[in-house]
């Protein structure tokens, strides 16, 4: 089991995958069928929740029900939840604008 704490104030953060749950599914290779909080079997109203792992100061995404997404104290998630980085650079998720900028920068250097 993995101890996590919710990161508050992230609802306005966007992902080019669409919903953050889709981001988690895309990069974990799994389908979110229920909440990853230990002993929670909620199957509806799942979200890709921004969390921090105990002892780490970076954001990750795990599937949680809306109730666990509002929890303010640290709690445990199942090992299968495979926290996925919310950092685009770490998940190789780039926007079209970022790709065009990279191509232009490479072209101008040659």
């Amino acid at each position: 089991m993995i101890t996590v704490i919710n990161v508050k104030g992230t609802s306005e953060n966007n992902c080019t995958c669409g919903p953050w749950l889709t981001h988690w599914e895309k990069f974990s290779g799994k389908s979110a069928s229920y909440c990853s909080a230990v002993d929670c079997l909620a199957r509806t109203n799942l979200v890709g929740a921004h969390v921090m792992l105990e002892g780490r100061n970076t954001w990750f995404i795990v599937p949680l029900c809306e109730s666990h997404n509002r929890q303010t104290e640290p709690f445990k998630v199942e090992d299968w939840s495979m926290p996925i980085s919310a950092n685009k650079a770490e998940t190789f998720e780039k926007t079209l604008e970022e790709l065009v900028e990279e191509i232009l920068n490479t072209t101008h250097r040659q």
Side-chain angles (χ1 to χ4, degrees), residues 6 22 29 39 48 50 52 59 63 84:
N6 281 311
T22 302
D39 296 329
H50 288 80
M52 287 191 298
W59 295 1
I84 298 295

Side-chain angles (χ1 to χ4, degrees), residues 2 4 10 18 25 34 37 46 64 83 97 106-107:
I2 305 163
V4 299
T10 61
E25 290 177 330
Y34 57 92
L46 298 178
L64 293 177
E97 291 171 1
T106 303
T107 304

Side-chain angles (χ1 to χ4, degrees), residues 1-107:
M1 291 179 274
I2 305 163
T3 302
V4 299
I5 188 162
N6 281 311
V7 179
K8 295 299 174 197
T10 61
S11 60
E12 297 299 316
N13 292 10
N14 295 321
C15 177
T16 58
C17 296
W20 283 102
L21 188 59
T22 302
H23 175 88
W24 181 85
E25 290 177 330
K26 177 179 178 180
F27 291 101
S28 71
K30 300 179 180 195
S31 178
S33 54
Y34 57 92
C35 179
S36 63
V38 171
D39 296 329
C40 182
L41 297 176
R43 294 180 174 270
T44 59
N45 300 319
L46 298 178
V47 298
H50 288 80
V51 299
M52 287 191 298
L53 307 183
E54 187 174 49
R56 306 255 329 251
N57 199 25
T58 54
W59 295 1
F60 293 86
I61 305 297
V62 295
L64 293 177
C65 64
E66 288 180 353
S67 176
H68 278 103
N69 191 38
R70 290 189 299 269
Q71 189 162 330
T72 57
E73 297 297 320
F75 61 98
K76 295 197 180 297
V77 295
E78 300 286 353
D79 290 334
W80 64 260
S81 68
M82 189 188 294
I84 298 295
S85 176
N87 183 332
K88 292 187 289 185
E90 292 180 14
T91 55
F92 305 106
E93 176 196 358
K94 296 189 177 188
T95 65
L96 181 57
E97 291 171 1
E98 291 170 322
L99 291 171
V100 169
E101 184 177 335
E102 282 183 15
I103 291 167
L104 290 174
N105 286 339
T106 303
T107 304

